[in-house]
Amino acid sequence: RLSNSANVMVLVDLVFLPFVLWYSNISLDKLFFGIFIFLLIVFTYGIFKIWTRSLNFFSFGIANIFHQIDNRLFSLMNSYPAPFFGKQLLSNVFLLYPLFVVGSLLVPYLKDYPIKNIELQLISLISVALFLGIWSAINWKIGLKKYEAFG
């Protein structure tokens, strides 16, 4: 059940959303495809987090270092806009971070800015999600067979 403040926020959003869409000249088909892209971004990052957690079965504590790097990169993506990293050699690694993809794919799509290889970026997101999802399932299946609780 939503709190009173959450109910008010939903109502305000529903009232102002048509005005924002009208002011931004965003068509409904573009909006729905944008929502699809957003859900794909969230799903891919969720699968990435599940994959990092599944590494704990095999890493003997090394996964904690990976979690720290992940948290630092996530905060970096929150601090700087995506175009800042666009020309970097390893910018494709940042596809795992939602705010980078929102800044490099979703916002330019909704604003009608030119996007390099939109199909390649979407295929990359889907491929990464599938690959890490399968790898996570395998890690969890093998890891749970060998899991022993201490204490």
Side-chain angles (χ1 to χ4, degrees):
R1 183 180 157 131
L2 293 176
S3 66
N4 290 335
S5 62
N7 286 329
V8 170
M9 287 179 63
V10 167
L11 288 175
V12 168
D13 288 344
L14 289 176
V15 168
F16 285 108
L17 181 63
F19 295 113
V20 170
L21 294 176
W22 172 77
Y23 180 76
S24 302
N25 288 330
I26 298 175
S27 63
L28 283 179
D29 59 338
K30 188 169 277 223
L31 175 69
F32 287 128
F33 192 66
I35 290 171
F36 167 74
I37 292 172
F38 180 75
L39 292 175
L40 181 62
I41 292 167
V42 170
F43 179 74
T44 302
Y45 187 68
I47 292 292
F48 173 70
K49 294 302 270 185
I50 290 170
W51 174 74
T52 59
R53 300 300 185 255
S54 73
L55 294 177
N56 285 330
F57 286 116
F58 309 104
S59 66
F60 306 108
I62 297 173
N64 290 332
I65 295 170
F66 189 72
H67 294 305
Q68 290 175 357
I69 292 170
D70 174 44
N71 289 336
R72 295 237 169 101
L73 283 174
F74 189 80
S75 66
L76 182 69
M77 293 299 117
N78 289 337
S79 302
Y80 297 101
F84 183 79
F85 298 100
K87 298 195 185 326
Q88 300 297 324
L89 182 63
L90 297 175
S91 64
N92 290 335
V93 172
F94 297 135
L95 279 175
L96 295 171
Y97 294 95
L99 289 176
F100 178 78
V101 183
V102 166
S104 68
L105 180 64
L106 184 59
V107 171
Y109 173 76
L110 291 176
K111 293 288 215 173
D112 283 330
Y113 294 150
I115 303 171
K116 273 179 35 180
N117 301 326
I118 187 170
E119 296 87 8
L120 180 64
Q121 289 187 43
L122 290 173
I123 290 171
S124 297
L125 276 174
I126 293 169
S127 300
V128 165
L130 287 174
F131 178 73
L132 291 179
I134 292 169
W135 192 355
S136 298
I138 291 169
N139 281 351
W140 279 94
K141 188 171 184 166
I142 293 170
L144 286 176
K145 285 181 183 177
K146 299 192 313 183
Y147 178 73
E148 294 180 13
F150 295 102

